[in-house]
Amino acid sequence: VDDEGSCSGIYSEGECIPDFVFPPIDNATEGQKFYHKTQGIIVFHNGNWVNTSANIITKNELLIE
């Protein structure tokens, strides 16, 4: 487990959630988590990115200006 100083995103419940970088990786794995600056924590689930409210996030919503 890394310490908070080496986390490139945020810490949530003792886990480092790395910053999301667009475009999203094509080989995302089930349960993979990222911190998105406008969507918050997002998780890859059933082939889609979802937020903590389980709403599917579209590719346009993933785009970081």
Side-chain angles (χ1 to χ4, degrees):
V1 178
D2 7 7
D3 58 26
E4 293 191 34
S6 62
C7 182
S8 68
I10 64 163
Y11 255 81
S12 176
E13 298 173 9
E15 177 182 12
C16 177
I17 311 290
D19 283 328
F20 178 81
V21 177
F22 194 87
I25 53 176
D26 290 328
N27 58 348
T29 56
E30 182 70 18
Q32 195 164 17
K33 295 180 185 177
F34 287 97
Y35 175 72
H36 189 283
K37 72 177 184 178
T38 57
Q39 298 292 328
I41 295 175
I42 60 174
V43 181
F44 195 71
H45 180 64
N46 287 336
N48 293 298
W49 289 102
V50 298
N51 62 20
T52 54
S53 300
N55 295 323
I56 293 174
I57 302 167
T58 67
K59 291 212 187 261
N60 284 345
E61 291 171 325
L62 287 173
L63 182 62
I64 297 172
E65 298 288 330

